[in-house]
Amino acid sequence: AGMPVQGQQFAVWLLQQQNGEPVKAVWRKLVDADTPFLRIAGAAQSHRLGDRNHIAVLAKGLQELPADQRNQAINLIWNIEDERVLSAIRAWIVPGGTQDTVRQALQYLGSVEKARSEATIAAAKSVLIDANLGAKAAALASLVAWGEPGHSAALAELLRANPDLLGPIRMLLERSAKLEPVLIDALADVLKQARSKFDVTLTAALLQRSSPDKAIAALRLLLEHENQ
């Protein structure tokens, strides 16, 4: 009780390094903790250890969690596919949500939902009106990756005007089977402007999946620029 958020996070991290029956008992005890973050941690880990009776606690904790703790909490629930949990995470994808929260929620849902989810698609579309360009880019990237038509041009325009938005959404775009030409051209333009080896490598790899020729041409121009 009264433990600062950072202290709760550190305590959970320490517990994650432990094994055996004693730590299982601690996780079970956390299910009844007085803060949503600790209840989420206890319920999620107990679930993974075979105790499947705490999904309702987990979903309620996600619903009650303060917005500034969501980015840390989503790392606690990996691979949990229960619809009650997915619904709670989906509720974070709203206009006005922070860029990181919207992106991580979309990334999580995209990784665990095995079939097309109209509810998740609707949540992503709701963010398209957002003034937060990072959240809007994450929503567009997810819709493109899920094969929803009509969003590639908007994402291409956004990335051309704001190349730095690509970094956080690369993993979302990597789920796309094949990118449309308008987005391929935009990625090539972004690649030509990349300045760090890290960005060059990852952007080229993303571009090469859909258009090896465009990736090679963009890299050639980048090298020529560097040699001038």
Side-chain angles (χ1 to χ4, degrees):
M3 182 185 294
V5 173
Q6 291 82 0
Q8 296 175 42
Q9 294 167 359
F10 184 62
V12 167
W13 179 82
L14 287 176
L15 283 172
Q16 289 173 330
Q17 316 310 308
Q18 311 302 315
N19 295 302
E21 289 302 320
V23 76
K24 288 183 181 180
V26 176
W27 289 122
R28 287 193 293 269
K29 187 174 181 180
L30 287 182
V31 172
D32 297 318
D34 60 356
T35 68
F37 185 85
L38 292 178
R39 290 198 298 274
I40 290 166
Q45 192 63 16
S46 295
H47 181 85
R48 276 191 288 272
L49 292 172
D51 185 350
R52 305 303 173 91
N53 297 316
H54 305 301
I55 286 293
V57 172
L58 176 53
K60 190 170 187 292
L62 292 168
Q63 292 166 359
E64 297 175 346
L65 191 69
D68 61 356
Q69 297 177 32
R70 290 173 177 174
N71 294 344
Q72 290 75 29
I74 205 165
N75 295 321
L76 302 174
I77 61 170
W78 43 272
N79 286 344
I80 296 179
E81 303 175 5
D82 189 280
E83 178 55 32
R84 288 167 290 180
V85 171
L86 302 188
S87 179
I89 294 296
R90 202 177 289 125
W92 298 357
I93 307 169
V94 292
T98 68
Q99 170 182 331
D100 288 343
T101 296
V102 169
R103 174 179 53 79
Q104 288 193 35
L106 287 166
Q107 194 166 302
Y108 184 81
L109 293 167
S111 70
V112 301
E113 289 179 329
K114 304 305 183 187
R116 174 187 172 89
S117 168
E118 295 294 343
T120 300
I121 289 169
K125 288 181 177 179
S126 77
V127 180
L128 298 184
I129 63 171
D130 208 319
N132 183 320
L133 296 183
K136 182 175 181 178
L140 285 168
S142 295
L143 291 166
V144 167
W146 298 331
E148 289 297 299
H151 300 289
S152 291
L155 181 57
E157 181 180 357
L158 191 59
L159 291 176
R160 279 197 171 99
N162 307 273
D164 291 345
L165 291 177
L166 176 60
I169 65 169
R170 266 196 212 96
M171 289 185 66
L172 295 170
L173 283 176
E174 286 171 358
R175 298 183 183 279
S176 178
K178 185 173 177 61
L179 301 176
E180 294 185 23
V182 65
L183 189 50
I184 289 171
D185 289 342
L187 289 176
D189 289 342
V190 172
L191 177 56
K192 294 169 192 174
Q193 302 174 53
R195 290 295 173 261
S196 75
K197 182 178 180 181
F198 178 81
D199 284 335
V200 169
T201 300
L202 294 183
T203 304
L206 176 61
L207 184 57
Q208 187 172 17
R209 293 176 56 205
S210 293
S211 179
D213 291 344
K214 289 286 179 70
I216 292 170
L219 287 170
R220 184 179 294 118
L221 285 174
L222 187 61
L223 288 171
E224 290 173 355
H225 175 79
E226 291 293 327
N227 292 329
Q228 288 178 358

